[in-house]
Amino acid sequence: MDNPFEKALALIEQAAQIDPALGGEFLARMRVPDRDIRISISTRMDDGSTKIFEGYRVQYSNARGPYKGGVRYHPLADIDEVKTLALLMTLKCAVAGIPMGGGKGGISLEPEKLSKAELERVSRGWVRKLADVLGPAKDVPAPDINTTPEIMAWMNDEYMKLTGEKTGATFTGKPIEVGGSEGRGVATGLGGFYTFLGFREKLGLPGKCRIAIQGFGNVGANAAEIFSKHGHKVIAVSDSKGGVLAEGGLDIKELLEHKKKARSLAGFPGSKNITNEELLALECDVLIPAAFENVITEANADKVRAKAVLELANGPTAAEADEILQKKNIPVIPDILANSGGVTVSYFEWQQNLAGEHWSEAEVFEKLKKYMSTAAKDVLAKSREWKTTLRMGAIILALERIRAAM
Ligand code: GLU
């Protein structure tokens, strides 16, 4: 059962075994996406040649509102990965308590191999192929791995030109200048921090925690800055090439500067180079996977020595690893709760665009904090009600909300 989608389905089946109301016809409905679309995007390259890229959009469920979810650019992006992430988005929006359904998209490409102009053309091409099924009331994409606010601006511009749409609410995660929301860039990391605050005491974690973060992109780097700004010690971070460790805590601002110049984390003064596997096995209070799915696996879960795991990536813990962590009494604050801050501020952006408003950063943060702490309380209550893990509690909560909407 190596297919990631089958594994995600196993989770909702498990939820239906715990709460029988989630079985039967409802479960049958939840097992299949509303639509999965595969497109080919014929793109003119700078040298005059034409290259065909494979793109995707999976619209999983709109029972609670328009399909919502990011678009990822990655060489390994494929329809099964996108379908799995679209199901996770459906659950995530329901946990977050926002009136949105779930979707996900992608293009299989290596971003560093394309020029900026090529990247713009392939991004606009993705929109041209999918314009009919997108829109503020239909499907609202956003950034994900390797997609930036600038890419959202190109996509939104293409959509508005093609359709005459005027509000700009078809894409979220846009730059502020073209209708983006204050706070969207830091929202996933900040939402993760608010979630951590909701659980810190309950999980018996110290007031000042030692944190290890895997991933130093938008989510990981912002989380690192936010945790250290609030007095926690970020002792290690890593990216795809490897990481750095400093038991006394890393200066994140300086580390960002170093990475920009050196194009790598390695060699940061006052730190020791480590591998990703070493980072996952560090003795610390909170381990934060903030990059890809399936990084904590059957092979390494036993080596995890953190007191808790906060999932800021989507699907970072494989099902077998989840069981191992449970046996080791290491609580996992699940992705569909912990990383829902990003999509929550996306929802705020969509609302602002539709109303022609622009909210202050303080207003966005205050609203985000409210949504995150409500979601954390609801998930905790659900996991206690059914005497199950936080992940299962979150999934049951989401499915109950989706079922009620249907
Ligand atoms: N890509 C982000 C996620 O996985 C954000 C999605 C959105 O804002 O729609 O949650």
Side-chain angles (χ1 to χ4, degrees), residues 298-309:
E298 198 171 9
N300 62 23
D302 208 34
K303 301 196 187 102
V304 172
R305 286 187 294 158
K307 294 200 185 88
V309 175

Side-chain angles (χ1 to χ4, degrees), residues 200-217:
R200 191 189 61 75
E201 276 181 40
K202 288 181 191 82
L203 299 181
L205 296 169
K208 301 272 177 250
C209 285
R210 296 166 72 248
I211 317 267
I213 304 179
Q214 192 207 38
F216 207 56

Side-chain angles (χ1 to χ4, degrees), residues 115-367:
S115 72
K116 196 165 166 181
E118 290 167 343
L119 208 55
E120 177 171 352
R121 288 194 288 271
V122 71
S123 301
R124 288 181 182 272
W126 187 89
V127 175
R128 279 197 300 280
K129 278 276 161 84
L130 292 168
D132 284 349
V133 298
L134 304 177
K138 292 187 198 165
D139 185 348
V140 184
D144 196 77
I145 291 174
N146 289 326
T147 44
T148 56
E150 186 174 40
I151 293 175
M152 294 306 114
W154 294 330
M155 288 183 156
N156 199 45
D157 178 66
E158 190 68 25
Y159 183 82
M160 290 171 86
K161 276 185 184 145
L162 276 171
T163 63
E165 205 282 326
K166 296 270 184 301
T167 67
T170 307
F171 289 82
T172 60
K174 301 180 294 290
I176 307 266
E177 297 75 19
V178 290
S181 178
E182 301 291 339
R184 177 63 185 84
V186 300
T188 308
L190 183 61
F193 179 68
Y194 290 150
T195 309
F196 157 82
L197 290 183
F199 283 96
R200 191 189 61 75
E201 276 181 40
K202 288 181 191 82
L203 299 181
L205 296 169
K208 301 272 177 250
C209 285
R210 296 166 72 248
I211 317 267
I213 304 179
Q214 192 207 38
F216 207 56
N218 170 281
V219 177
N222 277 304
E225 280 203 283
I226 294 163
F227 275 87
S228 56
K229 201 174 88 192
H230 286 86
H232 300 282
K233 223 178 248 177
V234 178
I235 59 164
V237 303
S238 67
D239 64 14
S240 57
K241 293 183 213 146
V244 286
L245 164 70
E247 287 292 345
L250 294 158
D251 184 320
I252 304 303
K253 280 219 162 63
E254 279 178 19
L255 184 57
L256 280 164
E257 283 300 310
H258 168 83
K259 182 175 167 166
K260 227 192 242 163
K261 277 189 221 131
R263 300 190 137 262
S264 147
L265 295 166
F268 181 58
S271 77
K272 184 181 143 206
N273 295 343
I274 54 169
T275 64
N276 266 293
E277 283 301 306
E278 284 168 336
L279 181 134
L280 295 175
L282 287 175
E283 195 275 308
C284 62
D285 294 306
V286 188
L287 172 64
I288 305 184
F292 281 97
E293 51 266 32
N294 289 324
V295 292
I296 306 179
T297 64
E298 198 171 9
N300 62 23
D302 208 34
K303 301 196 187 102
V304 172
R305 286 187 294 158
K307 294 200 185 88
V309 175
L310 180 71
E311 295 186 329
L312 294 193
N314 290 314
T317 311
E320 302 81 6
D322 230 0
E323 274 172 36
I324 298 172
L325 295 179
Q326 214 177 313
K327 280 197 193 110
K328 285 169 60 111
N329 278 323
I330 300 175
V332 177
I333 306 176
D335 49 3
I336 55 173
L337 168 65
N339 75 26
S340 67
V343 74
T344 300
V345 175
S346 273
Y347 161 59
F348 298 161
E349 179 173 334
W350 177 81
Q351 278 184 305
Q352 290 170 77
N353 293 154
L354 291 178
E357 290 174 3
H358 187 78
W359 306 345
S360 71
E361 188 182 76
E363 192 175 347
V364 169
F365 288 171
E366 198 190 301
K367 285 197 164 103

